[in-house]
Amino acid sequence: MTRKPNKIYFELTSGLRIGNYRLDRRLGSGLTAEAYLATEVMTNAKRVVKIFENNDPPDPIAKLRNVAHYAWVLE
């Protein structure tokens, strides 16, 4: 997939689990967030998870922790 200028792209893979959600596929992105179709693990319900850009430290582990935190907060 080609990245467009001024679009968020986190490169998260299908099957990645964030909180109670398992990502199924990427739906799209905008200037501030990226949306994924996800399955709620406990109920198998389909949900849309929107992950917002965060301008915290460039450490990759810190970034993943922030993604998980924001997904949990928005849950």
Side-chain angles (χ1 to χ4, degrees):
M1 181 175 292
T2 305
R3 182 176 182 195
K4 295 180 182 178
N6 299 324
K7 296 279 184 175
I8 300 299
Y9 190 66
F10 293 112
E11 300 180 25
L12 302 178
T13 59
S14 295
L16 178 69
R17 187 166 168 180
I18 300 176
N20 292 328
Y21 300 97
R22 185 179 55 251
L23 301 182
D24 296 332
R25 65 183 174 93
R26 182 177 182 272
L27 297 174
S29 66
L31 295 176
T32 61
E34 188 170 31
Y36 289 85
L37 179 63
T39 302
E40 190 173 6
V41 175
M42 308 261 308
T43 64
N44 272 346
K46 295 291 185 184
R47 308 277 187 231
V48 173
V49 174
K50 195 170 187 182
I51 301 174
F52 291 86
E53 181 180 33
N54 188 354
N55 294 321
D56 283 344
D59 174 39
I61 300 299
K63 281 184 181 180
L64 287 175
R65 284 186 189 131
N66 288 337
V67 167
H69 172 75
Y70 283 109
W72 177 78
V73 168
L74 295 171
E75 182 180 305

